Amino acid sequence: MTPRLRINKVRLLERLDEMARIGALEAGGVSRLSLTDPDKQARDQLVRWMEALNLTVQIDRVGNIFGIRPGQTGSLPVMFGSHIDTVSVAGKLDGTYGVLAALECIATLNEHNKQTLRPLVVAAFTNEEGVRYASGMLGSAVYVGELPIEQALDMRGVDGSRFGDELQRIGYAGPMQPGAIEPYAYLELHIEQGPVLDRAGQTIGVVEGVTGITWLEIIVIGAANHAGTTPMDMRRDAGLAAAKVITYLREITAALGEPQRATCGRLSFEPNAINVIPGRVAFTVDLRNPEPSDLRRAEAMLREYLQKVVAEEGVKIEVRDLEHVQPVRFDPLVIGAVERAARRLGLSYRPMISGAGHDAQLMAHKYPAAMIFVPSRDGISHNPAEYTDPNDLAHGANVLLHAVLDLATRH
Ligand code: HGY
Ligand code: MN
Ligand code: MN
């Protein structure tokens, strides 16, 4: 075990800055929705960096990108990475940090000419965020066989585009069968995106599991009508009905208590005119809980309340299931490698459960996996104000390096 090995912080920060210039927004932050041109540019940049590090690059049929470094044996590889697509107005760290830190680990091993027993594979999964194609963690879900490839390729984006066509357009419809590389273990380094480490003043999150996620789209059908002439008792106001449901989300979280979360993130009115009662409203609900039975209860409470609103407001309501991701508990062997690395590096650490979804959550459904967190200042993420102290970025990358070495040097 080469305990003194450390990543090169300056090189990591330079790559992060270079990647943040791709899809940079005037007002700050980045926007690289999956399969858009900025996503393509970021993918091209990643592939160039992988090739410069002598990694063999493989692309699979849903655009997942893998950089392979041979081991001294042909045993199952240690895979580590994350995603480089972003939400619509993002910071520069969510996902990208985990992929670029993985590259930095490879660069460090190369320059010290350090071989590992097991091959190493750096991974970047397609469409983790699910903002354009509303099935988050799509690339990893296909990878572990939970989402059929054809269903993924036929998926329609919020902009009406077809996933498979966009993948072809940007040149990332690869030949490799998703799942062709079976990892011995999968590790993902990620910013926490919440306030726990920052508040506790601790450096490393040894992530032991990830919350469950339910994404729904709710369509309310009422009757567009005149805002002035229509008496209040004659309305079928889809806007008011939607507002009641969105407000009810707080009653669900109050009833279930922490760590139940409920969010309406996307809403559209039709015809969206100041003097017309909305005839149709579409909005999303994001429910989260690490306890499967509580997540089911939250969803049941919501569906029951929808019936109440239908009766009260004389509207019709349709519910579209966008995504149901099971909560996971990670593998003790991989968690142990993370904890040993943090301890050896003399870093403060704590066990945690992730409130954000991650590709590691899908990978854990099939392979031993775990995650490493570093603090997010004020717990902010999915926002250009997302920030992690550069020293913490380096600490996280060193924990990744040593956890990978721990796993890659064992039979
Ligand atoms: O939504 C999530 O939790 C993740 O950021 N995709
Ligand atoms: Mn992420
Ligand atoms: Mn995210």
Side-chain angles (χ1 to χ4, degrees):
M1 275 296 285
T2 37
R4 282 174 310 289
L5 218 48
R6 296 291 182 274
I7 59 100
N8 179 323
K9 180 172 91 171
V10 171
R11 189 168 53 196
L12 171 60
L13 297 176
E14 278 169 357
R15 280 208 180 97
L16 278 167
D17 287 344
E18 174 124 18
M19 193 59 106
R21 281 192 279 277
I22 301 177
L25 294 168
E26 287 282 304
V30 296
S31 185
R32 293 197 301 266
L33 292 181
S34 37
L35 312 188
T36 59
D37 290 343
D39 184 30
K40 171 181 172 43
Q41 288 153 28
R43 287 165 169 268
D44 293 346
Q45 176 63 66
L46 176 61
V47 168
R48 281 194 297 273
W49 277 332
M50 284 181 164
E51 287 170 343
L53 290 170
N54 302 321
L55 295 176
T56 304
V57 178
Q58 301 229 1
I59 316 283
D60 77 11
R61 291 185 55 202
V62 288
N64 295 322
I65 301 172
F66 301 96
I68 300 157
R69 185 181 197 256
Q72 292 155 324
T73 70
S75 47
L76 294 181
V78 176
M79 186 183 284
F80 48 115
S82 190
H83 62 93
I84 57 173
D85 67 303
T86 72
V87 292
S88 22
V89 182
K92 70 176 189 178
L93 297 172
D94 177 355
T96 304
Y97 165 56
V99 176
L100 299 190
L103 282 189
E104 177 48 37
C105 291
I106 299 291
T108 302
L109 294 174
N110 285 357
E111 70 191 352
H112 291 83
N113 198 18
K114 166 78 183 157
Q115 298 310 311
T116 53
L117 211 59
R118 295 180 174 281
L120 304 181
V121 179
V122 174
F125 289 104
T126 298
N127 192 47
E128 188 277 343
E129 291 293 0
V131 170
R132 187 182 184 198
Y133 301 96
S135 171
M137 286 83 87
L138 179 146
S140 44
V142 171
Y143 199 86
V144 297
E146 286 190 17
L147 178 64
I149 295 179
E150 295 317 319
Q151 190 179 327
L153 297 176
D154 283 338
M155 202 162 279
R156 287 282 163 196
V158 290
D159 55 3
S161 63
R162 178 178 171 275
F163 182 95
D165 298 346
E166 283 292 275
L167 197 63
Q168 288 283 355
R169 185 184 68 81
I170 66 167
Y172 278 88
M176 188 179 110
Q177 193 58 25
I181 301 173
E182 182 192 349
Y184 167 70
Y186 175 78
L187 269 166
E188 182 162 353
L189 170 62
H190 205 287
I191 52 171
E192 179 200 328
Q193 301 182 288
V196 174
L197 288 172
D198 188 42
R199 275 187 190 152
Q202 287 172 303
T203 307
I204 297 294
V206 180
V207 187
E208 300 189 334
V210 184
T211 189
I213 303 175
T214 292
W215 279 2
L216 305 171
E217 181 173 42
I218 298 178
I219 316 278
V220 185
I221 310 289
N225 212 328
H226 195 296
T229 56
T230 313
M232 297 311 284
D233 64 358
M234 281 180 63
R235 296 179 176 214
R236 293 197 291 123
D237 183 339
L240 183 85
K244 281 185 162 183
V245 177
I246 295 167
T247 310
Y248 182 70
L249 297 180
R250 280 299 166 94
E251 292 189 41
I252 293 174
T253 52
L256 285 157
E258 278 291 322
Q260 179 63 45
R261 309 272 155 82
T263 311
C264 168
R266 194 174 83 213
L267 169 76
S268 63
F269 274 38
E270 288 175 31
N272 206 29
I274 187 168
N275 54 359
V276 181
I277 300 166
R280 183 183 189 279
V281 175
F283 63 97
T284 56
V285 172
D286 174 322
L287 299 170
R288 312 243 178 151
N289 200 306
E291 190 41 61
S293 58
D294 286 340
L295 187 55
R296 282 194 298 274
R297 199 165 140 237
E299 190 176 337
M301 285 178 72
L302 176 63
R303 289 180 186 272
E304 203 175 307
Y305 185 72
L306 294 178
Q307 294 317 313
K308 189 164 172 285
V309 170
V310 164
E312 285 169 356
E313 300 301 329
V315 295
K316 268 185 29 207
I317 292 183
E318 294 155 25
V319 179
R320 276 184 61 214
D321 287 90
L322 298 178
E323 182 162 67
H324 289 267
V325 187
Q326 289 308 311
V328 283
R329 287 281 164 175
F330 287 135
D331 178 278
L333 171 87
V334 190
I335 292 171
V338 173
E339 192 172 343
R340 281 191 295 278
R343 208 171 33 244
R344 276 206 191 99
L345 289 160
L347 299 171
S348 59
Y349 64 88
R350 65 182 296 138
M352 323 182 45
I353 297 292
S354 172
H358 296 287
D359 292 310
Q361 172 169 18
L362 273 296
M363 295 298 277
H365 290 171
K366 192 166 178 190
Y367 311 110
M371 292 185 75
I372 307 160
F373 276 170
V374 291
S376 293
R377 186 176 61 186
D378 301 331
I380 295 174
S381 182
H382 284 184
N383 178 321
E386 183 180 274
Y387 177 84
T388 296
D389 182 302
N391 292 322
D392 289 342
L393 293 175
H395 289 319
N398 278 319
V399 171
L400 178 65
L401 174 65
H402 286 280
V404 166
L405 284 172
D406 183 314
L407 293 163
T409 50
R410 87 183 32 231
H411 288 280

